[in-house]
Amino acid sequence: MSSATHHVVSAPPSGHGEAERAPTAPATASRSGAGHEPAGRDPYFDNAKYLAILLVVMGHTWPTVIAGSQATRGLYMLVYTFHMPVFILISGYLSRSFTGRPDQLKRLLTGVAVPYLLFEAAYTLFTRWGTGSFRPFSLLHPTYLMWFLIALFVWRLTTPFWRVVRWPVATSLVIAGLATVTPSIGAALDLTRVLQLLPYFVIGLSMKPEHFALLRRRPVRIASAVVLVAAVPFFYWQAPTFYLNWFYRSRSVQELGAGVGWGMFLVAVLFVGTLVLSAAFLSLVPGTRRWFTVLGAGTICGYVLHGFLIRGAEYLDVFKDHPWLTTDPGRVVVTLVALVTMTLLCTPPVRKALKWVTEPEMAWAFRKDAAAKSS
């Protein structure tokens, strides 16, 4: 979501390493010139991150106005099917060169762990203010959207393991499947969601530049457009009856009220559908530099900040006090405001202002040789 996120994720967050120098992969994001496109960055991935962060803000905004609208509920389901898996897949792709070198671990700490700690504390205090009730600060129970940063930290640390496993994707699917049918995992670190979404990270790790080149071929792009257009009426049709919690990947199938057999079948169908929609989205992302390309380097800022605005509006009863916002014209206005706001939050001035917390140097905290690459 920022240059550190082009380092350690790719938008919800940060990926480091020489793999980013591949011809069609994102190049390492420099820490200089927040207002300029760093030399060597692949505009395709910055475009993908910006467009995906727009899906994130829509997915977080629509629940505030979803009541009574089948169309909004259907679009919400469509977005929630693939918007985070796309981020996770790109994060995995950008993690291909991670081996645990001291410089990589340093960037993982400063680009993911430190922002998680600071914004987790901020969201904890914000929640106390908004709800009027005490919420303890906890490293193990991320607040609201902070789950992604802790998940990214865990996934990135496991990267060397996936590099040596013979069948990484299959292994990750087994782990995700076990998490899907294990109600006793608990809420610590949002581990159920971390494990259920793990395969998308591993798939990204296993992808190569030619896979993205294949997605961007004209016949594939035409088919992708057809798939996304066809998905809209399908999700509209399913909207009244489908249980939304299936999309969050934060509970076992038993906790969702399904038997193991039927639950695993639904999870498998959702997994395949997610991959298809993710591929369709990535296929349609423009590969050349556009006006919004530079915003891809600032998506971490948009991600960590937009939650304050959405939760703040809820705490202040904005939608209850202005019922017009939950009418069809109101939903359109709310959506447009959310998109414009997210765009502004990703701009270079905001990224520069937040650099001390999203991309801190913290040279004082590390040994002098920690930033040097191992030979």
Side-chain angles (χ1 to χ4, degrees), residues 3 30-34 110 301 349-361:
S3 94
S30 70
R31 291 180 177 271
S32 62
T110 58
C301 300
V350 176
R351 178 186 164 205
K352 184 176 181 180
L354 282 188
K355 191 173 182 180
W356 65 276
V357 62
T358 60
E359 306 173 56
E361 293 288 346

Side-chain angles (χ1 to χ4, degrees), residues 33-48:
H36 304 281
E37 190 72 13
R41 286 180 72 108
D42 187 340
Y44 171 76
F45 287 94
D46 278 329
N47 292 341

Side-chain angles (χ1 to χ4, degrees), residues 49-324:
K49 291 195 297 179
Y50 168 70
L51 295 175
I53 204 67
L54 294 184
L55 297 180
V56 170
V57 75
M58 287 190 287
H60 287 160
T61 301
W62 283 338
T64 61
V65 295
I66 201 172
S69 174
Q70 183 175 343
T72 305
R73 185 181 175 91
L75 290 173
Y76 175 79
M77 290 168 57
L78 172 59
V79 165
Y80 246 90
T81 302
F82 70 94
H83 75 303
M84 288 311 298
V86 162
F87 270 130
I88 296 165
L89 186 149
I90 295 176
S91 298
Y93 180 78
L94 296 181
S95 299
R96 293 175 304 152
S97 65
F98 186 88
T99 59
R101 294 194 317 256
D103 63 303
Q104 293 173 329
L105 291 174
K106 175 181 178 291
R107 289 195 297 270
L108 180 61
L109 289 170
T110 58
V112 177
V114 171
Y116 170 72
L117 292 174
L118 294 176
F119 280 99
E120 176 62 26
Y123 272 104
T124 298
L125 294 175
F126 190 67
T127 302
R128 293 180 189 176
W129 167 79
T131 62
S133 59
F134 179 78
R135 175 186 171 85
F137 173 78
S138 173
L139 293 177
L140 299 180
H141 297 89
T143 304
Y144 194 25
L145 45 70
M146 287 296 100
W147 71 268
F148 182 80
L149 294 187
I150 196 65
L152 182 63
F153 187 81
V154 173
W155 293 326
R156 173 54 65 90
L157 284 180
T158 67
T159 297
F161 170 79
W162 302 113
R163 290 163 56 89
V164 300
V165 172
R166 185 181 295 273
W167 301 291
V169 174
T171 303
S172 69
L173 286 171
V174 170
I175 293 173
L178 292 174
T180 300
V181 297
T182 307
S184 58
I185 291 178
L189 297 180
D190 217 342
L191 196 56
T192 298
R193 179 152 39 190
V194 170
L195 296 179
Q196 288 193 26
L197 291 171
L198 172 65
Y200 302 106
F201 183 83
V202 178
I203 289 171
L205 275 175
S206 305
M207 292 184 71
K208 298 178 180 179
E210 50 263 36
H211 294 137
F212 288 97
L214 176 63
L215 284 175
R216 292 158 67 182
R217 294 179 61 182
R218 182 176 177 81
V220 178
R221 291 167 66 88
I222 294 173
S224 296
V226 172
V227 166
L228 288 176
V229 170
V232 174
F234 172 79
F235 280 99
Y236 178 84
W237 169 57
Q238 288 291 317
T241 57
F242 202 86
Y243 190 31
L244 294 179
N245 280 333
W246 285 97
F247 294 102
Y248 304 148
R249 284 93 162 182
S250 59
R251 301 181 185 181
S252 66
V253 296
Q254 296 94 322
E255 292 169 320
L256 292 173
V260 171
W262 177 243
M264 288 297 290
F265 172 76
L266 287 178
V267 168
V269 171
L270 180 59
F271 176 75
V272 173
T274 296
L275 286 183
V276 171
L277 291 172
S278 297
F281 171 82
L282 290 170
S283 176
L284 296 177
V285 170
T288 56
R289 183 174 172 80
R290 304 297 174 88
W291 67 265
F292 53 81
T293 301
V294 68
L295 302 177
T299 50
I300 181 62
C301 300
Y303 184 78
V304 297
L305 290 178
H306 82 278
F308 291 109
L309 301 178
I310 295 173
R311 282 290 172 88
E314 293 175 342
Y315 294 152
L316 296 173
D317 292 329
V318 170
F319 299 99
K320 291 182 180 179
D321 294 341
H322 300 84
W324 178 81

